[in-house]
């Protein structure tokens, strides 16, 4: 993208769930997902859902300004789910989501997971996220966990065994 401006150095690190900016972004993400999705089709996690030992939440910062978040939820010994990917509107087009996604995938590879799965919406608002996932190698596929594919939801998967480790770094 010609108007894409990446912030250097963007700092990606574990997000502390007691940080007011992180809490506010999680709440904003959940509210916006409910706004964009028909009732019963949004699975955005709230603060409680992101606070378990099976989750890792990363944030991207420009100095002290939070730009975006993303999370992993470990489902079993082979599969991890990508959750809560959100960039604040004022930071769109700066490479925030891509940077967070790459760091999350590095964590998955280091921890030995075979597959990363995600569920996302199907409306036009989700096209930028879907494009990012597809560019990274995610393919649309079967539903997993408690999800169902339908007119408002779709699932994507990335088999890490098929990914060169240098691509995630």
């Amino acid at each position: 993208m010609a108007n894409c401006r990446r912030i250097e150095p963007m700092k990606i690190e574990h997000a502390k769930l007691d940080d007011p900016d992180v809490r506010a972004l999680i709440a904003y993400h959940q509210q916006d997902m409910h706004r964009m999705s028909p009732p019963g089709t949004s699975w955005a996690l709230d603060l409680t859902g992101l606070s378990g030992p099976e989750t890792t939440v990363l944030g991207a910062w420009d100095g002290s300004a939070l730009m975006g978040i993303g999370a992993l939820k470990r489902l079993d010994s082979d599969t991890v789910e990508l959750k809560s990917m959100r960039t604040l509107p004022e930071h769109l087009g700066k490479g925030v989501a891509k940077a967070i996604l790459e760091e999350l995938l590095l964590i998955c590879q280091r921890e030995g997971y075979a597959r990363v799965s995600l569920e996302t919406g199907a409306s036009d608002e989700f096209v930028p996220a879907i494009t990012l996932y597809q560019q990274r190698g995610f393919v649309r596929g079967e539903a997993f966990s408690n999800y169902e594919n339908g007119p408002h939801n779709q699932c994507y998967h990335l088999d890490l065994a098929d990914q060169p480790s240098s691509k995630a770094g």
Side-chain angles (χ1 to χ4, degrees):
M1 263 185 228
N3 64 352
C4 182
R5 184 177 74 84
R6 184 173 174 147
I7 300 295
E8 294 295 340
M10 184 184 314
K11 181 174 61 175
I12 310 291
E13 61 186 23
H14 287 272
K16 294 179 176 69
L17 296 179
D18 61 350
D19 179 322
D21 292 335
V22 172
R23 286 175 169 270
L25 183 48
I26 291 168
Y28 167 72
H29 175 63
Q30 190 177 35
Q31 290 167 358
D32 201 43
M33 290 298 96
H34 287 292
R35 177 192 62 78
M36 290 191 298
S37 305
T41 64
S42 175
W43 304 102
L45 294 177
D46 62 9
L47 189 62
T48 302
L50 290 169
S51 63
E54 71 283 355
T55 60
T56 297
V57 182
L58 297 183
W61 281 267
D62 175 15
S64 63
L66 180 63
M67 301 166 66
I69 60 169
L72 296 174
K73 181 177 180 184
R74 289 149 186 89
L75 301 178
D76 58 42
S77 62
D78 292 323
T79 308
V80 66
E81 180 181 1
L82 187 64
K83 295 294 294 182
S84 301
M85 292 289 294
R86 176 54 73 138
T87 302
L88 284 165
E90 62 267 28
H91 296 293
L92 292 172
K94 297 177 182 177
V96 174
K98 182 177 181 181
I100 292 171
L101 177 61
E102 292 301 329
E103 189 63 30
L104 290 169
L105 292 177
L106 277 173
I107 291 169
C108 293
Q109 287 182 319
R110 275 195 306 265
E111 293 182 4
Y113 286 95
R115 181 178 243 201
V116 181
S117 297
L118 66 93
E119 177 277 334
T120 191
S123 65
D124 290 346
E125 290 99 341
F126 295 93
V127 168
I130 293 165
T131 300
L132 172 66
Y133 300 139
Q134 288 175 329
Q135 287 173 344
R136 188 52 182 84
F138 283 82
V139 294
R140 190 170 177 182
E142 74 279 357
F144 66 100
S145 190
N146 295 322
Y147 301 118
E148 293 180 17
N149 284 327
H152 306 290
N153 301 78
Q154 52 191 329
C155 295
Y156 286 81
H157 308 279
L158 177 68
D159 290 323
L160 293 174
D162 298 338
Q163 301 296 305
S165 59
S166 62
K167 190 171 184 180

